[in-house]
Amino acid sequence: MNGMQALERGDWEAARAAFEGALEDRDDPGPEIWDGLGRAMWWLADVEHAVEYRARAFSEYRRRGEAAAAARLGYWLFREYGTVLGNTAAANGWFTRTQHVVEEHPEGAGHGWLDLARAERTVEPSVTERYAEAAYRFAREASDSDLEIYALAARGLARITAGSVDNGIADLDAALATALEASSVDTVGDALCTLMLAAELVADEGRFSQWNETLEQYMSTYGHLNLTGFCFTCCGELQVAKGRWEEADEWFRGAVAALEKSGHRSRCAHPAARLARLRIRQGRLEEAEALLSEFRHLPEAVEPLAALALAQKRPEAAIGKVERRLAQTGDRTLPAVPLLGLLVEAHLCVGDLDEARRAQSRLAELAERSRLDRIHGLATFARARIATAEGHRDDAEDGLVDALGAFERADMPAEKAAVHRELARLAAGAGQTDLAAEEGKAALHAFEQIGALRDADETAAFLRSIGVRGQTGPKAMGSLTKREREVLDLIASGLTNAEIAERLFISTKTAGNHVSNVLMKLGVRSRTEAAALALHGTPGK
C-alpha cells in the first residue's frame, strides 16, 4: 500500500494523499485506510483529525471482530484525549469502550492493550509494573511485537520510578532493541519518548548514551509530536543536572515554543515549569514567578513553587506545598527526590530538626534502593546539614566530603559548589579562615561558571565576611541594583528591550533605560560584552 510505505519512510504528506485517494476510490475502504490516514494526520500535527479518523478505524475494527487492532486504537485514543486534549471524560470513555471490546473476545493481545491503559491510570509504580507485566505476557503469547515493546517500556519506567534502576534500564534496552528490529515509526518514537523520561528520572545520560545516536537519527528523519516538546524538556533537565544551564535554557525555551506553535497541552511535564525551576536556581525569581503564574495548577509546578517560596524566605509555605504533593504521589519513588530535598531545607529553615531528619531518611532509602550517586549525594548532603544544625561538626564534615565525592561521580557542578560553600562555613565556624577562604572561592567560581548568580552573590558576601578582599565576583557586578541584575540576566539570554519589558512587566522605554544603566556601570560598550561578563566574568571580544 503506497500510503503505508510513505508512512514508514516519513513522507507524511504523501501518506495523507495516498490514504485520501483510497477513501475516494473505495465504497468500503476498511479500517486500515482510516487508521493510516489518522496516523498521517497525527504526524502532520493535526491531532483533532487524527483522533477523528482513528476513532472511525476503531469502530470498523470492532465491527470486523478484530479485537486486538481495536484495543490498540482504543489505548491510543485514551492516551491522546487524556494527555494532549486534556479531556478526562473522553479519555475515560475510551477506556470503557476498549474494555467492552476486549470483554467481547477470548483473552489475547487486546487484553494486553487494555492492561497498558490500566497501567497509565495509576500513580503507584508497583501497580503499574503489575499491569505492564500482564501486558507483556499477553504480547508474548500473541506474538505481538508492538505490544511487547510498549509493555517492556512501561514496565521499565515503572521499575525506575520505584528505584529499581538497573532492572528498569534492562527493560528499556530490550524495548528499544526490539523496536528497531521491525516496528513502525510510531512505536519506535513512543519507546524513545519513554526512554527520555527515564533518563530525566535517573539524571545520568551515560546510562543511555548508547541510544543517543539512535534518538538523534530518528528525530532528524521523522520528528515526533511527543519528542518535539517532551524530549526537549527532558534534554533540558539533563543539561541542568550537568551544570550546562545555558544549553538547558535553550532546550526549555525550544520546548515552550513548540507547544505554543502546536496549540496542544504538554504530554508530560510542562517545560515552562522546568524553565521556572532553572530561573530560581539562577536567582531570577521575578521571571520564575511570571512563568509559573499561568501554570500554578499543574502538578509539576509544585516543586518550583516550593523552591520559589524558600527563596523568598517563606519556608512554611514551601513545606505545605511539598507535603500536599507527597500525600498525593507518595514519597518512596524517584520523582519524590527533589521534593524531599526541598522539605529538608525548609524544615531546617524553621528549625524543625525532627522533621528534617524524617525527610532525609526517606532520601537515604531511595539512595540505597536506586544506587544512584546523584541521590546518594543529595541524601548525604542533607544529613551533613542536619549534623551542622545539631552542632556535630565532625559528622557534618564527614558527610560533606562523602557528598562531594558522590556529586563528583555524578557530574553535578551546582551541587558540588553548594558542598564547597558548606565546607567553607564549617571551616569558618572552627576558626580555620584559610581553609574557609579556599572552599569559599571554589564555590564562588563554580557558581559563576554555571550562572547561579544568587548563590554567587551569597558566597561572595560570605567571603567578605571572613576578610577575603579583592574581586569576589564579576567586574562591577556589585554596583548593579537588583532590577539591573535581572536586566543583565535577560541581556545574557539574548532578549531584546521589548522582550525584557514583557518579561519584567515594564515599558520598553524603561527597559531601555535599565539596559543603558547596566552597560554604563559595567563599563562595556555593547550588549554582547555585557552578556559575556554576566556569563563568564570577562568582556567579550
Side-chain angles (χ1 to χ4, degrees):
M1 178 187 296
N2 290 335
M4 294 301 297
Q5 293 171 356
L7 279 178
E8 294 310 311
R9 66 175 181 263
D11 191 342
W12 318 126
E13 287 289 357
R16 175 172 65 177
F19 287 122
E20 287 179 340
L23 285 178
E24 294 176 359
D25 293 341
R26 305 182 189 183
D27 294 332
D28 184 11
E32 294 85 1
I33 303 299
W34 290 110
D35 190 12
L37 181 57
R39 289 174 60 193
M41 299 304 288
W42 187 87
W43 285 99
L44 290 168
D46 188 346
V47 174
E48 286 74 15
H49 279 105
V51 165
E52 176 187 345
Y53 298 145
R54 299 198 86 181
R56 175 71 178 268
F58 170 92
S59 298
E60 292 296 314
Y61 278 127
R62 183 178 188 179
R63 183 175 60 82
R64 290 202 323 202
E66 297 183 30
R72 175 174 180 168
L73 282 178
Y75 168 67
W76 184 88
L77 288 159
F78 157 76
R79 294 177 67 199
E80 290 297 298
Y81 272 108
T83 60
V84 180
L85 302 177
N87 190 331
T88 303
N92 290 336
W94 277 104
F95 176 86
T96 302
R97 291 190 71 182
T98 304
Q99 188 174 24
H100 290 165
V101 168
V102 168
E103 290 173 348
E104 294 169 356
H105 297 271
E107 285 193 349
H111 290 73
W113 292 108
L114 179 62
D115 280 331
L116 285 180
R118 289 180 172 132
E120 295 201 13
R121 297 182 91 190
T122 178
V123 296
E124 174 55 51
S126 62
V127 179
T128 301
E129 182 180 352
R130 187 167 68 247
Y131 282 128
E133 176 64 32
Y136 178 73
R137 289 196 301 270
F138 283 122
R140 298 288 290 179
E141 291 169 4
S143 298
D144 187 328
S145 61
D146 282 338
L147 177 57
E148 180 179 348
I149 292 160
Y150 277 93
L152 280 170
R155 189 176 71 181
L157 183 59
R159 286 175 168 175
I160 289 172
T161 300
S164 183
V165 174
D166 290 338
N167 289 335
I169 289 176
D171 276 343
L172 286 167
D173 284 344
L176 262 296
T178 304
L180 292 172
E181 283 181 4
S183 280
S184 68
V185 293
D186 311 60
T187 302
V188 175
D190 285 349
L192 285 169
C193 192
T194 304
L195 180 80
M196 288 306 302
L197 178 54
E200 180 189 344
L201 283 174
V202 175
D204 183 355
E205 59 188 349
R207 298 278 190 120
F208 302 93
S209 58
Q210 63 177 311
W211 298 114
N212 287 347
E213 185 177 346
T214 301
L215 175 62
E216 291 172 5
Q217 182 179 1
Y218 180 91
M219 286 290 290
S220 65
T221 304
Y222 302 110
H224 191 277
L225 286 186
N226 273 353
L227 294 172
T228 297
F230 173 52
C231 175
F232 287 7
T233 303
C234 289
C235 286
E237 281 297 291
L238 290 174
Q239 301 310 313
V240 170
K242 303 305 177 186
R244 299 190 285 264
W245 289 4
E246 290 180 59
E247 295 177 39
D249 188 284
E250 293 178 7
W251 281 112
F252 289 141
R253 287 190 288 114
V256 171
L259 278 182
E260 290 176 348
K261 182 178 179 180
S262 71
H264 298 141
R265 288 164 38 114
S266 172
R267 293 173 179 263
C268 195
H270 199 289
R274 296 293 194 247
L275 181 58
R277 185 167 63 180
L278 175 59
R279 291 287 180 262
I280 293 165
R281 298 189 72 177
Q282 292 171 322
R284 297 156 67 171
L285 303 187
E286 289 189 10
E287 288 181 65
E289 198 161 15
L291 280 165
L292 290 169
S293 62
E294 186 179 346
F295 304 104
R296 301 178 71 89
H297 63 287
L298 296 177
E300 59 267 32
V302 172
E303 183 193 339
L305 284 169
L308 182 62
L310 266 178
Q312 295 170 335
K313 310 299 183 185
R314 298 184 293 115
E316 293 88 352
I319 291 170
K321 293 178 187 300
V322 171
E323 288 186 339
R324 283 193 296 274
R325 181 61 182 155
L326 290 175
Q328 296 170 338
T329 64
D331 56 10
R332 298 294 192 269
T333 64
L334 294 197
V337 167
L339 293 170
L340 291 171
L342 286 171
L343 201 54
V344 171
E345 184 178 352
H347 283 306
L348 285 174
C349 286
V350 299
D352 192 338
L353 298 187
D354 287 339
E355 288 300 325
R357 280 190 287 268
R358 288 190 184 94
Q360 190 279 332
S361 69
R362 285 174 274 176
L363 266 178
E365 290 173 12
L366 285 168
E368 182 176 0
R369 192 185 319 151
S370 67
R371 296 187 294 175
L372 292 174
D373 286 325
R374 172 179 72 91
I375 303 178
H376 174 74
L378 293 171
T380 308
F381 186 40
R383 188 187 72 208
R385 293 191 64 196
I386 293 169
T388 299
E390 293 171 330
H392 300 155
R393 185 181 183 282
D394 290 343
D395 290 342
E397 185 174 4
D398 289 344
L400 290 172
V401 171
D402 189 358
L404 191 62
F407 291 143
E408 179 70 42
R409 293 189 297 274
D411 188 20
M412 300 174 70
E415 286 71 17
K416 284 167 54 183
V419 173
H420 280 300
R421 184 171 61 192
E422 288 302 311
L423 284 167
R425 289 169 174 165
L426 205 62
Q432 299 172 311
T433 306
D434 289 344
L435 178 59
E438 180 182 345
E439 295 287 354
K441 288 178 180 178
L444 177 61
H445 176 71
F447 283 135
E448 288 178 348
Q449 285 294 106
I450 62 178
L453 297 182
R454 184 166 168 269
D455 285 308
D457 285 345
E458 185 179 330
T459 307
F462 163 79
L463 287 169
R464 291 192 297 271
S465 75
I466 61 173
V468 176
R469 302 303 178 195
Q471 188 65 40
T472 56
K475 181 180 93 173
M477 290 295 183
S479 67
L480 300 183
T481 66
K482 179 181 177 182
R483 174 62 87 187
E484 288 165 349
R485 290 293 294 271
E486 292 171 343
V487 170
L488 178 59
D489 291 341
L490 297 177
I491 292 173
S493 297
L495 272 66
T496 65
N497 287 1
E499 290 169 332
I500 291 172
E502 183 178 355
R503 288 284 188 92
L504 299 182
F505 303 99
I506 57 179
S507 70
T508 302
K509 181 179 180 181
T510 300
N513 290 337
H514 282 313
V515 170
S516 297
N517 290 337
V518 168
L519 299 184
M520 179 185 67
K521 288 184 177 182
L522 295 181
V524 296
R525 292 169 295 179
S526 69
R527 300 168 75 97
T528 301
E529 288 185 4
L533 193 61
L535 296 171
H536 307 296
T538 56
K541 300 296 184 183

